[in-house]
Amino acid sequence: MTKIATREAYGRALVELGRQNSQVVVLDADLSKSTMTHYFAREFPERFFNMGIAEQSLMATAAGLALSGKIPFASTFAVFAAGRAYDQVRNGIAYPKVNVKIAATHAGLTVGEDGASHQAVEDVTLMRAIPNMTVIVPADGEETRQAVFAAAAQQGPVYLRLGRPAVPVIYNGDYRFQIGRAHTLRQGKDAAVLACGVMVHEALRAAEELAAAGLDVMVVNMSTIKPLDREAVLAAAATGAVVTAEEHTVIGGLGSAVAEVLATTKPVPMAMIGIRDTFGESGKPDELMAKYGLTAADIVAAVKGLKGWVS
Amino acid sequence: MEKDWQTLTATARQIRRDIVRMVGAAGSGHPGGSLSAVEIVTALYFKVMRLDPERPDWPERDRFVLSKGHAAPVLYAALAERGFFAVDKLDTLRQLGSPLQGHPDRKALPGVEVSTGSLGHGLAVANGMALAGRLDGRDYRVYVLLGDGELEEGMVWEGAMAAAHYRLDNLTAIVDHNHLQIDGRVEEVMSPEPVADKFRAFGWEVQTIDGHDFGQILDALERTREVKGKPTVIIAETIKGKGVSFMENQAGWHGKAPKPEEVEKALAELA
């Protein structure tokens, strides 16, 4: 199976974007070899600014560049982008609606061995709650590449959530990503799984297993968390059972966003796959995903549970 | 030059009157730190900066960043008196629907460069503007006004480090050193002293002046143009509440509006 990390796809896409658009600038906070902005730095050194280990300065300087007509991509780990620099993102970027693209890598438990201090499990909640902010969680490399271009083309702040490990390829070049538009990967009538990021692949695996067991399950990639594709959520709800899946706390993330739509329009039985109000810990990504209930098997069990199947 | 000062002095007095009147009318706001910065802001908007009120987004304009965003009244008064908007709009300060928000909102009011209010942001934002100017080969200058209490924010020093690292000689920071913050004397609450030595150690060119003396302010701003390869900070010694006898050097007037009779008394002093 071909795999590529979304951060790797991001780094390559930035170079491609930089060649097409001379207004694109990139900022990092001493993590360019991890966020993969070093590809851009090598090709466009005059348009790359390392701000050192100073995430507040990173975000505010990006705002200043954007206010002067540049299209800045500011990168660091998600835990620092959304946490350490929250006030700079809120008051300095989102409130004044400045054209800064925050590309946050190493999100979620799949950071792995570095442990809880580096595993952002609540960044989507924080970013989604800020007015004017667009939040995108790409499922694979190709979707990341297209999300980078879409983010640059859209005026205003964007939070792009990217991961550390290589993840399976889902899309080829025929796919067309659009901000705010979910993508149905598999039709189904018995239940629907709405997933984002690495959980999209898990959802596809779960759907195959459930098909073998006789359940026809829809799988939707909800890569834009905000603005949420309400029509896609309502279409999923027509199956009568909805499971959300995210590598993130269940408090305030994709599951909450879907529940907000359904609870106020068309309530259906729901289950949420995600992290249960807890921090992560050190371990291999696969071990952590299993321990915290973020696997295809967990999705299978949740769908069966909603359908009243005793497993 | 002397004639300039007379004009600037008259403008400064008018801006002080505007500040007192608008904060009084609003019933809330920050008069003390607005009044201490009047000469600095007046010098920039009426003498030093390259501006066109008809084209607030002119790419070649000089930029002013009010990092101490609570001093919004001095910025609003300067913008209005300079012709960015009608002076009578100042009366709408802090009212529902007014573009004159409690702290500056760039989306609401043309002429406001950066939305500020959360302290410590302005210097790093100004760095970004200065870097963009250099990238684009434009010769505009960026001015950022900081409070002395604001220097307690760690982020200011992230910005100070970056400005020196990137040799931003198109950037000038001005510290409104009025020695008072909400809870009392800056030196007692959390001393940022020695301010000049700190900036010098960070790699900045430092000047210390009387922040109410137009001669010194204009000379200092002129000298910053000659400094190459590093940013300049002007530490302006000022008096909080300057120009209104009962507000001068009183921490209590940091964020309190004068009552109608106090407005009258202040305006009489500023006649």
Side-chain angles (χ1 to χ4, degrees), chain A residues 226-269:
Chain A
K226 185 183 173 184
L228 195 71
D229 187 340
R230 294 171 63 93
E231 283 178 26
V233 172
L234 293 173
T239 64
V242 169
V243 174
T244 58
E246 60 198 306
E247 185 202 0
H248 188 270
T249 175
V250 292
I251 300 173
L254 170 65
S256 296
V258 169
E260 285 159 16
V261 172
L262 294 182
T264 52
T265 53
K266 188 179 181 182
V268 294

Side-chain angles (χ1 to χ4, degrees), chain A residues 200-221:
Chain A
V200 174
H201 183 254
E202 296 301 310
L204 288 169
R205 280 179 53 207
E208 278 176 32
E209 194 176 319
L210 288 162
L215 278 173
D216 185 20
V217 175
M218 177 189 289
V219 175
V220 185
N221 174 14

Side-chain angles (χ1 to χ4, degrees), chain B residues 9 55 60 107 140-143 203 217 220 248 253 267:
Chain B
T9 303
R55 289 183 293 164
E60 302 294 341
K107 299 193 308 304
Y140 64 75
R141 297 191 63 81
V142 185
Y143 299 92
I217 294 169
E248 287 191 0
W253 287 102
L267 291 177

Side-chain angles (χ1 to χ4, degrees), chain A residues 23 25 46-51 53-58 60-65 67-68 70 84 87-88 91-92 95-98 132, chain B residues 61 63 101 103-107 113-115 118-119 121 124-129 131-133 135-136 140 154-155 158-159 162 165-166:
Chain A
Q23 294 303 311
V25 297
E46 73 289 351
R47 286 196 266 150
F48 175 80
F49 303 103
N50 201 328
M51 302 313 296
I53 310 166
E55 293 77 14
Q56 303 174 68
S57 176
L58 169 80
T61 305
L65 283 155
L67 288 167
S68 313
K70 301 298 167 194
R84 184 75 175 234
D87 178 50
Q88 288 68 32
N91 277 315
Y95 167 49
K97 222 172 176 177
V98 176
N132 295 337
Chain B
R61 74 194 182 282
R63 272 77 166 166
Q101 291 288 295
H103 293 80
D105 175 2
R106 61 171 291 273
K107 299 193 308 304
E113 295 285 354
V114 181
S115 300
S118 183
L119 292 173
H121 289 209
V125 177
N127 287 345
M129 293 173 154
L131 286 169
L135 268 181
D136 290 341
Y140 64 75
M155 183 188 177
E158 291 187 2
H165 178 84
Y166 283 107

Side-chain angles (χ1 to χ4, degrees), chain B residues 52-81:
Chain B
D52 181 356
E54 301 295 318
R55 289 183 293 164
D57 55 358
W58 180 32
E60 302 294 341
R61 74 194 182 282
D62 289 338
R63 272 77 166 166
F64 175 71
V65 180
L66 182 68
S67 194
K68 46 173 289 185
H70 54 277
V74 70
L75 174 61
Y76 296 155
L79 289 172
E81 297 291 348

Side-chain angles (χ1 to χ4, degrees), chain B residues 10-47:
Chain B
T11 304
R13 190 182 308 119
Q14 184 54 45
I15 286 176
R16 283 205 163 85
R17 292 174 60 84
D18 291 338
I19 291 168
V20 168
R21 210 165 17 214
M22 80 173 102
V23 176
S28 70
H30 298 83
S34 296
L35 291 167
S36 62
V38 168
E39 280 78 12
I40 297 161
V41 174
T42 302
L44 286 169
Y45 274 91
F46 291 84
K47 183 73 183 164

Side-chain angles (χ1 to χ4, degrees), chain B residues 192-227:
Chain B
E193 298 297 339
V195 174
D197 289 348
K198 281 198 173 77
F199 274 102
R200 216 170 272 127
F202 272 78
W204 288 57
E205 180 73 16
V206 180
Q207 302 181 49
T208 301
I209 62 162
D210 176 344
H212 298 304
D213 181 323
F214 277 118
Q216 292 190 33
I217 294 169
L218 295 175
D219 283 351
L221 289 170
E222 187 58 37
R223 274 203 299 275
T224 67
R225 296 172 176 277
E226 292 151 20
V227 176

